[in-house]
Amino acid sequence: MKKAVVLLHGFGEDSTIWAGFVPFLQKDYFLILPDYARLSHLKSMDDYADFVHEKIQEKGFENCVIIGHSMGGYVALAFAEKYPTMVAGLGLFHSTAYADSDEKKAARAKNAEFILKNGTELFIKTSTPNLYADGFVKHNPEVIERHIEYASQFPAEALAAGMLAMRDRPDRRQVLKSLRCNVMFIIGEKDKSVSPEDAKSQIMIPKFFSSSILDNVGHMGMIEEPEDCLKFVGKFLLKC
């Protein structure tokens, strides 16, 4: 039986963000791609983790390697805290175990209010370009447009719920420290969403770790530098 690999998408995206990885990874692994972009009843990272747990149980797996992009990394850490024996490996893909600063929490609250007042499309149009490195945005406008087009369809209530869940998540560095499995970090030096300094400072917290620091990448390595990211993920999975 193939090992299960769970790929968790970030905020303002859905499971299709992993489309470039699926054809390659599914040759050797059973992929589970939970999709919570349109769900508004999940109010905390623990709620999201329980949702992911249900999806894994539905497929009949007792453990898995779980990789989360951005908010998906927050979900993965909550999952590892609640279901530690199920985690055979954990990947933080442009994500962090740190809680939000007070300033970031205030910004999240304002964003949630903006989304509910003005709708999804306006928020996605203004926020999406910031997910990518400036050079990538300049040379790949069609990629940004595609991202905006599909993400603008997400319900405002679901986006607002996700935003507030991110705001309220606790610091989970202790979860990283307690893990006895391999932990992967992928970090973009031009990331405007997760501080590269914070991301790098957590690398040595877990006992077993591997990291890839991408000099010209923002927050979307699976799209900005897909080949390098896929290669690194592949090596990580072999260690798990």
Side-chain angles (χ1 to χ4, degrees):
M1 191 175 186
K2 291 181 178 179
K3 181 183 289 291
V5 174
V6 182
L7 300 176
L8 302 179
H9 66 81
F11 178 85
E13 39 187 77
D14 60 17
S15 59
T16 61
I17 205 73
W18 301 109
F21 283 25
V22 169
F24 301 96
L25 296 181
Q26 69 183 1
K27 296 173 186 175
D28 300 307
Y29 304 98
F30 187 94
L31 298 184
I32 302 173
L33 292 94
D35 205 319
Y36 34 81
R38 296 164 181 81
L39 303 180
S40 57
H41 68 285
L42 305 175
K43 304 300 185 185
S44 69
M45 289 304 151
D46 282 359
D47 289 348
Y48 285 97
D50 289 338
F51 174 79
V52 171
H53 179 251
E54 289 174 14
K55 297 303 175 185
I56 296 169
Q57 285 200 313
E58 285 173 8
K59 301 299 182 183
F61 287 94
E62 295 182 0
N63 58 51
C64 62
V65 178
I66 186 163
I67 299 173
H69 174 242
S70 192
M71 175 180 159
Y74 310 152
V75 178
L77 286 163
F79 182 93
E81 186 173 57
K82 293 195 76 170
Y83 309 103
T85 61
M86 292 185 70
V87 181
L90 185 141
L92 295 183
F93 207 122
H94 303 306
S95 194
T96 177
Y98 287 90
D100 279 350
S101 65
D102 289 342
E103 182 182 6
K104 191 87 177 261
K105 286 181 179 180
R108 299 247 201 230
K110 285 182 180 179
N111 284 338
E113 185 179 348
F114 180 91
I115 291 165
L116 291 174
K117 181 179 179 180
N118 299 288
T120 298
E121 186 175 1
L122 185 57
F123 177 79
I124 292 295
K125 274 185 176 179
T126 55
S127 63
T128 296
N130 290 324
L131 297 175
Y132 298 84
D134 293 342
F136 186 88
V137 173
K138 181 179 178 181
H139 293 106
N140 301 275
E142 73 287 351
V143 174
I144 313 305
E145 284 302 316
R146 279 200 302 271
H147 190 149
I148 290 170
E149 185 178 356
Y150 87 79
S152 293
Q153 308 305 313
F154 300 151
E157 293 77 11
L159 281 184
M163 184 68 71
L164 295 177
M166 290 192 290
R167 178 196 65 180
D168 297 335
R169 76 187 191 282
D171 185 295
R172 284 198 164 97
R173 279 174 287 175
Q174 188 58 40
V175 176
L176 284 183
K177 190 173 183 179
S178 67
L179 287 172
R180 290 296 171 261
C181 59
N182 281 288
V183 179
M184 176 192 78
F185 301 91
I186 292 180
I187 298 166
E189 282 283 18
K190 299 186 184 301
D191 196 333
K192 301 169 192 170
S193 299
V194 172
S195 159
E197 289 71 30
D198 284 355
K200 284 184 278 189
S201 71
Q202 65 186 335
I203 287 174
M204 297 186 72
I205 295 175
K207 187 173 183 181
F208 308 104
F209 65 89
S210 55
S211 62
S212 177
I213 300 173
L214 306 169
D215 291 341
N216 298 307
V217 165
H219 193 62
M220 304 294 294
M222 74 285 285
I223 295 175
E224 294 175 79
E225 287 190 8
E227 291 182 8
D228 287 348
C229 288
L230 181 59
K231 189 181 296 183
F232 190 73
V233 169
K235 288 179 180 177
F236 165 68
L237 292 175
L238 289 175
K239 294 178 184 177
C240 298

